[in-house]
Amino acid sequence: MSWKEYNESLVRYDDLGFSLDLSLMDVTADYKAGLGDKITKVFDDMVALEGGAIANPDEARMVGHYWLRNPELAPTGELKAAITQPLKDLKEFAEHVHTGRVVTFEGKIFKELLLIGIGGSALGPQLVSQAIGKDAKMKITFFDNTDPQGMDDTLATLNMAETLVLIISKSGGTPETRNGMLEAKAAFEKAGIDFGKHAVAVTGVGSKLDRFAEEHGFIARFPMDDWIGGRTSVLSTVGLVPAALQGLDIDALLAGAAAMDEKTRSREADDNAALQLAIAWHKATNGRGEKDMVILPYKDSLVLFSKYLQQLVMESLGKEKDLDGNVVNQGIAVYGNKGSTDQHAYVQQLRDGVNNFFATFIEVRRGREGKSIEVDPGNTSADYLQGFMRGTRGALYENGRKSLTISIYEVTPFSLGMLIALFERTVSFYATLVNINAYHQPGVEAGKAAAATFLNLLGRVRGRLVSEAKNADEVAFEVDGDPEAVYHCLVHLANNGEAQMSMGKSPAEDLFQL
């Protein structure tokens, strides 16, 4: 790759301390020209989206996460107020918590925060906390699963008497979040603490959680609007309430996103980082997800960025059908950890194994605050980190592996907001390029329905357990169920103290009884 080609393949926003280097993606001018009509549609679709068009026909709702950092874009005064008033309220609430105007059941200052949520309701706050929460005013922990041992382990780290519990669920019916809330409530009450006096909800107005919060006297409730999808909710009350409670600079976070939005609204294609990134994804994956995206942030504080992008990209782009109803099975698989850790893990395969990926390097130019020591003559730890990144990037490319590099000066609320906004818009642009809807998730709903079916079967199986031993076939006949599904129900009950299990020569011969 020549110096000239590097300069021609760079999108740089000097005023934001940001650049996108696509020189090792081999996207030619002819390739971009071939997408001409689609690129026009990309811009037109974005104008419609930001203008309030129905983006999710399954639920007949708009998608308004771009309005969150620029409420003036909201198509109605009512929607604008739905952004600005909760922002004002949550800032005031956080201040009251920090200054002791809002206190615990026993009149103490809240010092810890337990967030209960799943998917975007946890991933976004986790990313923000990990990336920019090192000086947080409140320590934050998470229930982000329905694993009872995980919840017990988390509760064991808390001083519940000084812990504020934040429950985040749009509907209030998400089983994992509901289970976590009920587990926390039981633990607090066992400790003699009025759970409602320690609890805050972020949820839809009138939802199951909203009603529960009112009935149990929660300290506060903040709205979660239906035009905000979970995977794009980090800059809504979902992410801003916990960030404000940690004392983080949420205004800078929103400003960074707004600044990137403004840059990537430009119809000057070569200067639009989100569009160029979407085109690079299209070229690398042949517009069909034929290669995975490996995220390699060279900064410990961004270690969760790959996990965050996993949901944003895969839930948005992983679709069976396109907008015309054709079966296309679209998507881009995302995984990653951090550099240079990965050089001692899976970079060996990236360079020498199956060439089924493209890499996204995220460079943070500033090594640390203050002066660094020399770890050997003339070199600092930051020098090594830069060397490993540049070396890995070059080693991959010389073996035919493509990569792009995003550079920021340092990890701050502003720069994190920029990165979040960049990938949100890139996902939207790419979805238009491949003619899919990025804003619905039928596969997620199918998984929830299947889980409900299993739970229904589990209840029926539980009711058929008696003192007389039975095998899975016998119980399946009694409940009119599939023997394998019934067997897994029986094993689950046995392993959780509700049944006894006698092992046979095969699963069909295993016996279960009370």
Side-chain angles (χ1 to χ4, degrees):
M1 182 61 60
S2 71
W3 172 241
K4 179 176 181 292
E5 289 169 317
Y6 167 76
N7 279 270
E8 291 175 348
S9 301
L10 191 69
V11 180
R12 193 168 72 174
Y13 303 148
D14 292 342
D15 53 332
L16 303 184
F18 168 91
S19 67
L20 170 65
D21 174 9
L22 296 165
S23 61
L24 302 188
M25 291 296 287
D26 296 342
V27 181
T28 64
D30 288 344
Y31 190 85
K32 293 179 185 180
L35 295 173
D37 291 342
K38 290 183 178 180
I39 289 174
T40 299
K41 190 172 188 302
V42 159
F43 290 126
D44 292 343
D45 283 0
M46 181 55 68
V47 170
L49 185 73
E50 291 191 328
I54 297 299
N56 186 341
D58 295 353
E59 301 174 19
R61 64 175 174 84
M62 300 175 287
V63 172
H65 51 276
Y66 296 109
W67 311 332
L68 296 170
R69 48 266 198 172
N70 187 352
E72 297 300 326
L73 290 174
T76 69
E78 183 181 2
L79 286 170
K80 178 181 175 181
I83 298 166
T84 56
Q85 189 60 49
L87 181 59
K88 178 183 176 183
D89 292 344
L90 71 87
K91 287 180 178 180
E92 183 179 83
F93 178 73
E95 181 186 4
H96 289 176
V97 170
H98 298 153
T99 58
R101 290 182 63 181
V102 172
V103 292
T104 71
F105 174 59
E106 298 177 340
K108 299 178 181 178
I109 293 282
F110 283 110
K111 295 181 180 178
E112 300 185 44
L113 181 62
L114 171 63
L115 189 154
I116 302 175
I118 197 163
S121 296
L123 274 170
Q126 285 171 326
L127 169 66
V128 170
S129 175
Q130 176 71 29
I132 59 175
K134 65 177 180 178
D135 297 320
K137 292 182 179 180
M138 298 177 73
K139 169 193 160 189
I140 187 169
T141 51
F142 296 85
F143 281 3
D144 63 350
N145 198 359
T146 190
D147 173 10
Q149 187 61 59
M151 289 186 274
D152 287 347
D153 293 345
T154 298
L155 288 168
T157 70
L158 300 178
N159 178 356
M160 285 187 282
E162 297 178 346
T163 298
L164 182 66
V165 183
L166 178 61
I167 304 107
I168 303 177
S169 173
K170 184 183 293 184
S171 69
T174 305
E176 296 93 336
T177 304
R178 181 209 58 200
N179 294 356
M181 178 181 68
L182 295 177
E183 292 271 5
K185 181 175 181 290
F188 273 66
E189 290 175 349
K190 184 178 180 181
I193 299 169
D194 185 334
F195 183 69
K197 297 294 190 295
H198 281 241
V200 174
V202 176
T203 189
V205 176
S207 72
K208 292 179 181 178
L209 175 56
D210 195 38
R211 295 194 300 272
F212 185 93
E214 185 175 17
E215 291 168 7
H216 291 81
F218 279 25
I219 300 171
R221 289 173 285 162
F222 295 96
M224 187 176 178
D225 294 294
D226 64 1
W227 41 265
I228 298 294
R231 56 191 175 276
T232 55
S233 66
V234 65
L235 300 181
S236 72
T237 51
V238 169
L240 297 183
V241 172
L245 286 167
Q246 291 171 85
L248 308 183
D249 190 347
I250 61 176
D251 288 330
L253 190 66
L254 291 166
M260 182 58 72
D261 283 346
E262 188 61 29
K263 294 288 189 184
T264 54
R265 258 182 218 112
S266 170
R267 283 185 176 258
E268 294 294 327
D270 289 343
D271 294 326
N272 188 316
L275 177 61
Q276 293 305 312
L277 193 52
I279 292 172
W281 291 3
H282 194 274
K283 173 67 163 59
T285 69
N286 197 27
R288 290 298 308 271
E290 292 176 359
K291 293 197 174 182
D292 301 341
M293 185 191 313
V294 181
I295 308 295
L296 297 169
Y298 274 67
K299 205 62 169 180
D300 286 357
S301 60
L302 292 177
V303 66
L304 292 180
F305 199 53
S306 59
K307 188 177 178 182
Y308 173 79
L309 290 179
Q310 219 168 42
Q311 182 188 18
L312 176 64
V313 175
M314 295 178 72
E315 194 168 271
S316 298
L317 303 182
K319 303 295 160 65
E320 180 183 22
K321 296 180 179 179
D322 66 13
L323 293 172
D324 299 320
N326 302 309
V327 174
V328 292
N329 299 117
Q330 275 286 357
I332 300 177
V334 179
Y335 64 92
N337 182 23
K338 65 179 180 180
S340 62
T341 300
D342 290 326
Q343 291 174 219
H344 300 271
Y346 54 74
V347 166
Q348 167 62 36
Q349 176 169 313
L350 296 186
R351 187 184 186 280
D352 293 342
V354 58
N355 188 2
N356 63 345
F357 73 95
F358 66 97
T360 298
F361 291 91
I362 300 177
E363 173 191 17
V364 180
R365 298 189 187 96
R366 189 183 189 193
R368 62 152 48 104
E369 295 179 14
K371 187 175 176 61
S372 289
I373 65 167
E374 292 185 357
V375 292
D376 59 29
N379 290 312
T380 66
S381 295
D383 297 338
Y384 270 96
L385 192 63
Q386 177 71 188
F388 288 138
M389 190 201 81
R390 294 292 163 186
T392 301
R393 184 175 173 270
L396 291 177
Y397 189 69
E398 70 183 13
N399 220 27
R401 274 64 171 160
K402 305 295 190 294
S403 71
L404 59 93
T405 302
I406 294 168
S407 300
I408 57 175
Y409 176 63
E410 60 185 330
V411 180
T412 64
F414 187 90
S415 64
L416 181 62
M418 285 196 307
L419 291 177
I420 290 168
L422 172 69
F423 280 92
E424 284 180 350
R425 196 170 295 259
T426 301
V427 161
S428 190
F429 283 172
Y430 182 86
T432 294
L433 290 178
V434 298
N435 194 38
I436 61 169
N437 185 346
Y439 298 111
H440 68 158
Q441 49 279 338
V444 175
E445 301 308 317
K448 291 179 181 178
T453 298
F454 176 84
L455 289 170
N456 179 273
L457 177 64
L458 180 64
R460 296 181 356 244
V461 169
R462 183 181 275 122
R464 304 306 302 182
L465 283 170
V466 293
S467 58
E468 179 185 350
K470 303 177 184 179
N471 62 32
D473 283 306
E474 291 170 324
V475 178
F477 178 78
E478 292 176 0
V479 300
D480 190 24
D482 173 70
E484 182 183 344
V486 167
Y487 176 77
H488 291 306
C489 289
L490 291 165
V491 171
H492 170 75
L493 294 172
N495 280 281
N496 285 277
E498 295 189 54
Q500 298 179 56
M501 177 179 179
S502 300
M503 303 289 286
K505 293 182 179 180
S506 69
E509 297 179 31
D510 293 347
L511 297 175
F512 302 86
Q513 65 191 99
L514 286 177

